[in-house]
Amino acid sequence: MGKHHLVLGHTQDILSGKTIEDTHDNRYRQKLAHRLLEMGYTTREIQSHIPLVLICGEKRAAIHLDFLILAPGKSPLLIRYAPGSLVTRRTPARAAALLMGAPLVVISNGEDAELLHTASGRLLGQGLEAIPQPHKLPQSQKDSQALSPELKERCHRILYAFEVNDACPCDDAVCHLDPEPESP
C-alpha cells in the first residue's frame, strides 16, 4: 500500500512511455488517454500531468492537471480526472480550465464524463462520447483576452480550496511549497 492509494505494481504510461504506479486512479487515467488516442488525438497533442502552482495569499502549492489537448489551430481542451461524483468537480475544473485558457473542459471519473463550457458552466454533453473529437474542437481564438488579476486570483483560491485544503493529509499528489521570498 502506498501513502494514499493501493499500489498494484507498476505499468507503462501510454503517452510518455514512462513507468508509473499501477493504481486504480492511474488505470482510469490510462483508459482516458487510450480513448483520446483512439479518437484521433496524437501523443504530441496530449499533454499530461501538467504542473500548476497555486498561490493563495501567503500559501503556495503545486498540483497536476491530467490532460491538456493542444491541437494545431484549435482551442485548448482540459480534461480532469476525478473519482466519484462529477457534479462536485465542476467548479474546480472550470477554474483550472480558465487558468489554462481552455474554453471547454471535460470532467471524467473514467466511467462517465461531462463536457462543460468553461466560462458559463453550461453542460454541453454527458458520457464518454461527449469528449470532443479533434475536428469538433473550436478554432483557436487568436485575440482571446487574458484573465483579469481578480479572476485569476479567484481561480487560484478555488483550486487551492478544492485540491489542497480538501486533500487527504496522506495524499502525495499535492506539494505544499514555501511562500515566495520577498523582494529585496
Side-chain angles (χ1 to χ4, degrees):
M1 186 99 173
K3 293 179 186 174
H4 184 66
H5 298 283
L6 177 62
V7 177
L8 305 167
H10 291 86
T11 189
Q12 188 175 19
D13 178 59
I14 192 172
L15 297 174
S16 70
K18 294 179 182 176
T19 300
I20 59 173
E21 287 184 340
D22 184 7
T23 64
H24 293 290
D25 287 345
N26 279 341
R27 285 181 179 188
Y28 279 120
R29 286 184 184 98
Q30 292 299 298
K31 180 180 173 181
L32 287 168
H34 187 71
R35 182 176 188 84
L36 293 170
L37 293 171
E38 284 179 339
M39 292 174 70
Y41 292 104
T42 67
T43 56
R44 287 183 163 188
E45 295 170 332
I46 307 168
Q47 291 184 4
S48 63
H49 202 66
I50 305 107
L52 178 62
V53 174
L54 303 175
I55 301 167
C56 188
E58 296 289 319
K59 298 177 182 178
R60 295 179 32 189
I63 64 169
H64 288 91
L65 304 176
D66 300 299
F67 303 104
L68 183 65
I69 307 295
L70 295 171
K74 302 290 186 170
S75 292
L77 170 67
L78 181 66
I79 301 175
R80 297 288 323 263
Y81 164 78
S85 170
L86 299 180
V87 72
T88 61
R89 312 299 185 168
R90 289 179 182 174
T91 300
R94 289 180 55 218
L98 283 168
L99 290 172
M100 301 308 288
L104 299 175
V105 60
V106 172
I107 312 158
S108 178
N109 58 16
E111 296 294 330
D112 197 7
E114 290 184 345
L115 173 65
L116 301 175
H117 180 261
T118 300
S120 68
R122 190 174 76 243
L123 181 64
L124 301 175
Q126 289 182 286
L128 292 172
E129 62 280 351
I131 299 172
Q133 294 180 342
H135 68 278
K136 293 206 174 184
L137 287 178
Q139 294 296 325
S140 178
Q141 300 295 324
K142 303 273 190 242
D143 58 343
S144 61
Q145 296 180 354
L147 294 181
S148 70
E150 295 82 14
L151 182 55
K152 186 174 180 180
E153 180 183 351
R154 281 198 314 252
C155 290
H156 276 257
R157 288 184 180 279
I158 288 167
L159 280 167
Y160 200 95
F162 278 86
E163 304 290 332
V164 180
N165 287 345
D166 195 39
C168 176
C170 59
D171 196 341
D172 57 3
V174 174
C175 179
H176 293 271
L177 304 172
D178 292 329
E180 281 194 45
E182 293 186 25
S183 301

